[in-house]
Amino acid sequence: MPDHQPPFHIYDYIFCGLGASGSLVLFELDRRGMLHGKSILVFEPGNKSANDKTYCFWTTPDDPSTAAIQDIISNRWQKISVPYHAGASIDPLHYCRIRSIDLYEKANNILKNYKATCLQDSANTLENDHENVVIRTKSTVYHGKTVFDSRPPRFLVPRKNQVVLWQSFLGLEVSIDQGVIDTETVVLMDFNVPQEHHTQFMYVLPLSPNTALVELTRFGSDKILEGPAWKILETYLKEKFGNHTITGIERGNIPMVSAAIETPESLRGVITLGSRAGNIKPSTGYGFMKMLRHATDVGEALSQAQTPAAPTTPARFAFYDRLLLLVLCYWPHWGKPVFEQLFRKIPAPDVLKFLDEKTSTREDLSILLSLPFRPFLAALGIELQAHFSRYKHVLLPLILSAVSVLFPGLQPTVYFLLLTGLILVGLPHGALDHVVETGNIRKKITPGFIIRYLGKAAIMAGCWWLSPLFGVLLFVGYSAWHFGQTDYTEWQRNSKTGAFLWGLSLLFIILLTHAEELSHILRAMHIDLGRVPEQFGSQAMVAGLALLTLQLVSSLFAKNGWKQTLTLMTLLLGIKLPLLLCFGIYFIGQHSVSGWFHLRKTLQTTHREMLIKAAPFTLGALGMFAVAFAIAGEALLSWNHAAVFFIVLSCISFPHILGMHVFYQNKKQPE
């Protein structure tokens, strides 16, 4: 690479890496005449002087995005060989090959032409100052106006439905002594090789009548081992081509990752490229055309002084990729039959169109139905389980409500589950206030904390004693505040007013749609309701449904509104359930579970340690309930049962809610 080193200044363009993606952007800027008079800096730790890779892709001859690379395409084919179809036409597509050395040489020539500064170094960190991008290496600081960042990405920890596999390969460029190679047909996938508990196939690019690139490729959790790979390659070459001479070697490992790419805070003037921008398709490892189209978009945007849009993948194709990677990871023996059945039932051009993410939903369905059901149903099970685990805060209460409505005979079982949840999550999530104060799970309970805690609970008890009506209003008010704060944190919303209004709406929907039961409980609390009109119940129901409808409409326009919609569906089903059951499903199934996981994430601890730390206050709370119910005596079988429950709950939750308010004020929202 050229090595011009002008004095320090602010560069117009800085390339952090000059592999395929960086080179393609360089070509596009050069084609548009956007490099004239510009200062260019390149960081590239590797030595781009060998033919170490082969870039392949499919496209139409008139694709405008290929204008900048037409001169370095070394081979084109219009036929591919796949299982059950040897020499299948892919017209009007061309399957193209670019040698990496040709791409590197073109990039180097452009850099020499514009007297670029090229350093065999790595960019460690990128940040913004008041005007430009600041790049730090181990020893020096550089500044640039526009930075193209194609450094390898870092992936977030995979969720249960996400996996990390490798597309690893060993390729030999060979010259055969006798015979003629079919130069018109690329062997895309030949599975007639040992699978070795992974998905393995041969990939053959005919370069001339007597030369070819023959690669053994593996999709799997383990990278291919060169010793066994050499034996498989030699056996295959002798069977297919006879005597031969090895003239070149290619080897590589491409991550096949369905986990999300870590996306640091967006920096002004930094454009991510390549795999860092998500341009590699997880299920195939192909990415050249996506990088090429991205380079075209980048050039177009910069020519108009605009910020280029980040490339995106439609959600349904990301879903398909996850399912296939799950199959290849957990049931690798299905890899070969999956691909064989796909190519047996679907024409090759349609498969390529699908892999290029250009098919319609109807075409997707036709392709998906051609695949073996069994492994993909198993993968779908993992996918659904992961989504349930991730969204259990809203799915669990919806399921409990639906079961209780559809199968009334199971309501006692649901009550038992809620009681268990109250003991394991509901009370413990409110019994960690002594560690919430400091954010330290190892914080010990002090006498001072206990006195303060009991003092706050006693204040709430005093409110009930002085005025049950005031006690109810205060309980509803701070509960609305707390429920709204917890849900809005879970939904990643920041409005304090919106959170309180949501919590208030939530409680009023529950109470108004259970007006008759509410009146019994209020009377058990010695609150004089006077003479209640006969039509009050129906009027309250209409008001509750109107409030629910209003919240449903607002959820359509809110961030993570679908979560709010599911909560509202739970409340709608709850109309058919007793008040205690309806409230308990929300309080235990959604609110307490959400709060528990918020605490666990912030405290960075385990469920077991949290339960142990919460045990003293959990037992104390259970003791308060036991004493209160014992005092109530036979009244436990009446509406007094519910009244006592809510009064005790209000007393022990009052200090908890005050502490959790500070906790939510100080914590970052969950991902």
Side-chain angles (χ1 to χ4, degrees):
M1 297 178 69
D3 190 22
H4 302 281
Q5 304 257 356
F8 168 78
H9 68 282
I10 298 173
Y11 292 90
D12 293 299
Y13 296 127
I14 298 180
F15 290 82
C16 295
L18 200 69
S21 60
S23 296
L24 292 175
V25 169
L26 182 70
F27 299 166
E28 183 65 22
L29 297 179
D30 178 52
R31 186 181 72 85
R32 292 173 177 268
M34 297 173 62
L35 298 179
H36 293 290
K38 303 293 185 181
S39 56
I40 305 168
L41 173 64
V42 176
F43 294 102
E44 174 50 60
N47 183 11
K48 302 295 187 181
S49 60
N51 189 40
D52 55 355
K53 293 183 180 68
T54 293
Y55 300 110
C56 289
F57 55 96
W58 54 88
T59 185
T60 56
D62 57 350
D63 187 339
S65 62
T66 63
I69 59 166
Q70 288 294 330
D71 57 326
I72 57 173
I73 296 177
S74 58
N75 300 86
R76 303 171 190 265
W77 301 271
Q78 284 192 278
K79 293 181 181 179
I80 62 173
S81 179
V82 292
Y84 298 99
H85 296 286
S89 172
I90 58 172
D91 187 62
L93 297 173
H94 286 188
Y95 193 86
C96 303
R97 176 205 183 209
I98 292 177
R99 301 190 314 155
S100 61
I101 188 63
D102 295 333
L103 181 135
Y104 300 153
E105 287 181 353
K106 179 171 181 173
N108 284 332
N109 288 335
I110 293 173
L111 293 172
K112 287 179 182 177
N113 187 41
Y114 292 103
K115 295 181 171 55
T117 300
C118 298
L119 304 176
Q120 197 164 350
D121 200 353
S122 298
N124 290 342
T125 62
L126 277 65
E127 58 191 57
N128 283 135
D129 62 11
H130 60 286
E131 288 184 354
N132 302 298
V133 182
V134 180
I135 299 179
R136 301 181 188 277
T137 66
K138 288 183 178 179
S139 58
T140 315
V141 177
Y142 299 86
H143 296 75
K145 297 177 182 177
T146 301
V147 174
F148 303 103
D149 186 7
S150 60
R151 294 173 299 165
R154 285 183 289 188
F155 295 92
L156 299 176
V157 177
R159 301 185 187 276
K160 293 181 180 179
N161 61 330
Q162 299 170 336
V163 297
V164 177
L165 299 180
W166 293 95
Q167 179 189 139
S168 52
F169 57 87
L170 176 64
L172 303 179
E173 191 168 323
V174 298
S175 174
I176 65 171
D177 296 345
Q178 295 180 348
V180 177
I181 299 173
D182 178 6
T183 58
E184 296 184 354
T185 305
V186 171
V187 179
L188 201 63
M189 283 183 153
D190 183 353
F191 287 97
N192 294 312
V193 293
Q195 296 299 293
E196 296 186 335
H197 307 293
H198 294 87
T199 300
Q200 298 193 150
F201 56 90
M202 284 295 181
Y203 173 65
V204 182
L205 296 178
L207 307 179
S208 74
N210 65 344
T211 59
L213 175 63
V214 183
E215 285 187 357
L216 175 64
T217 302
R218 168 186 287 183
F219 293 164
S221 53
D222 299 319
K223 297 176 184 177
I224 203 166
L225 297 176
E226 289 206 7
W230 272 97
K231 293 180 181 179
I232 295 173
L233 278 164
E234 284 293 344
T235 301
Y236 186 87
L237 287 167
K238 287 180 180 178
E239 289 179 356
K240 296 293 182 179
F241 305 116
N243 293 331
H244 57 274
T245 303
I246 298 173
T247 58
I249 300 175
E250 286 189 8
R251 52 175 64 85
N253 301 289
I254 302 172
M256 304 172 72
V257 184
S258 52
I261 295 172
E262 184 179 298
T263 52
E265 183 181 355
S266 178
L267 295 176
R268 182 185 66 257
V270 176
I271 301 170
T272 55
L273 304 174
S275 57
R276 195 177 187 88
N279 282 326
I280 305 298
K281 187 169 178 63
S283 59
T284 65
Y286 280 99
F288 194 86
M289 273 308 297
K290 203 166 185 179
M291 289 189 286
L292 187 57
R293 291 175 183 135
H294 187 208
T296 304
D297 293 341
V298 168
E300 178 66 22
L302 292 180
S303 69
Q304 300 179 29
Q306 297 177 351
T307 301
T312 58
T313 297
R316 71 181 197 276
F317 287 105
F319 169 66
Y320 305 152
D321 286 340
R322 287 198 303 273
L323 290 186
L324 178 58
L325 291 182
L326 286 170
V327 171
L328 297 177
C329 179
Y330 294 113
W331 306 281
H333 62 281
W334 274 104
K336 176 180 177 179
V338 162
F339 286 108
E340 287 183 336
Q341 189 162 317
L342 171 66
F343 284 109
R344 180 167 63 87
K345 293 187 175 183
I346 304 298
D350 293 345
V351 174
L352 296 181
K353 183 180 178 182
F354 176 70
L355 296 179
D356 216 15
E357 301 177 356
K358 291 184 176 181
T359 47
S360 65
T361 305
R362 184 176 180 179
E363 290 170 319
D364 294 351
L365 184 61
S366 174
I367 292 172
L368 295 174
L369 291 176
S370 73
L371 301 173
F373 284 171
R374 184 178 169 188
F376 285 96
L377 284 176
L380 182 61
I382 295 177
E383 178 80 7
L384 294 176
Q385 182 184 14
H387 281 287
F388 177 79
S389 177
R390 186 178 181 186
Y391 304 123
K392 54 187 167 290
H393 318 82
V394 286
L395 290 176
L396 179 61
L398 183 62
I399 292 171
L400 290 176
S401 295
V403 168
S404 300
V405 171
L406 296 174
F407 307 101
L410 292 178
Q411 288 185 14
T413 302
V414 176
Y415 273 115
F416 175 76
L417 292 174
L418 292 178
L419 178 60
T420 304
L422 179 69
I423 296 172
L424 294 179
V425 180
L427 293 178
H429 105 275
L432 289 166
D433 298 308
H434 59 294
V435 300
V436 168
E437 273 192 342
T438 61
N440 181 6
I441 190 63
R442 292 170 180 80
K443 171 75 174 179
K444 294 182 179 180
I445 303 174
T446 63
F449 176 83
I450 295 175
I451 293 172
R452 292 195 304 274
Y453 197 92
L454 293 177
K456 295 171 186 175
I459 290 173
M460 187 61 207
C463 292
W464 283 104
W465 181 71
L466 291 172
S467 172
L469 178 60
F470 178 70
V472 165
L473 295 176
L474 184 59
F475 181 37
V476 169
Y478 65 68
S479 295
W481 175 27
H482 182 51
F483 291 164
Q485 197 172 33
T486 302
D487 285 343
Y488 261 49
T489 299
E490 181 64 30
W491 301 342
Q492 297 181 328
R493 301 181 193 170
N494 296 318
S495 171
K496 295 179 181 179
T497 302
F500 178 70
L501 291 177
W502 160 250
L504 207 57
S505 298
L506 165 80
L507 287 174
F508 273 110
I509 290 170
I510 294 174
L511 298 176
L512 291 174
T513 55
H514 297 83
E516 184 176 350
E517 294 171 87
L518 175 62
S519 66
H520 287 299
I521 294 174
L522 292 177
R523 285 193 173 95
M525 292 176 176
H526 304 292
I527 297 175
D528 185 11
L529 299 176
R531 184 176 176 276
V532 179
E534 292 183 4
Q535 65 272 29
F536 174 74
S538 58
Q539 291 173 343
M541 177 65 73
V542 170
L545 289 173
L547 193 55
L548 189 149
T549 303
L550 183 64
Q551 285 290 340
L552 186 59
V553 171
S554 71
S555 71
L556 300 177
F557 306 97
K559 183 178 182 180
N560 286 320
W562 65 271
K563 294 184 179 181
Q564 183 179 351
T565 300
L566 290 181
T567 301
L568 291 167
M569 293 301 99
T570 300
L571 299 181
L572 184 62
L573 289 171
I575 294 173
K576 294 290 186 180
L577 302 176
L579 172 59
L580 268 180
L581 189 55
C582 176
F583 174 78
I585 287 174
Y586 169 79
F587 176 68
I588 303 298
Q590 179 165 324
H591 169 73
S592 297
V593 170
S594 294
W596 179 264
F597 278 90
H598 294 169
L599 288 168
R600 181 173 181 263
K601 181 177 180 180
T602 301
L603 297 172
Q604 297 182 335
T605 186
T606 64
H607 296 297
R608 181 175 179 271
E609 189 170 17
M610 287 173 67
L611 284 171
I612 291 173
K613 284 292 182 179
F617 280 104
T618 300
L619 293 173
L622 289 173
M624 290 183 185
F625 277 112
V627 170
F629 289 149
I631 293 174
E634 295 181 1
L636 280 176
L637 301 178
S638 69
W639 289 108
N640 286 24
H641 187 178
V644 168
F645 172 80
F646 283 118
I647 291 172
V648 175
L649 182 64
S650 72
C651 292
I652 62 176
S653 65
F654 181 60
H656 162 69
I657 289 172
L658 295 176
M660 287 300 290
H661 171 68
V662 176
F663 168 79
Y664 281 126
Q665 289 288 94
N666 294 333
K667 82 181 289 294
K668 293 182 179 179
Q669 293 176 333
E671 296 174 1

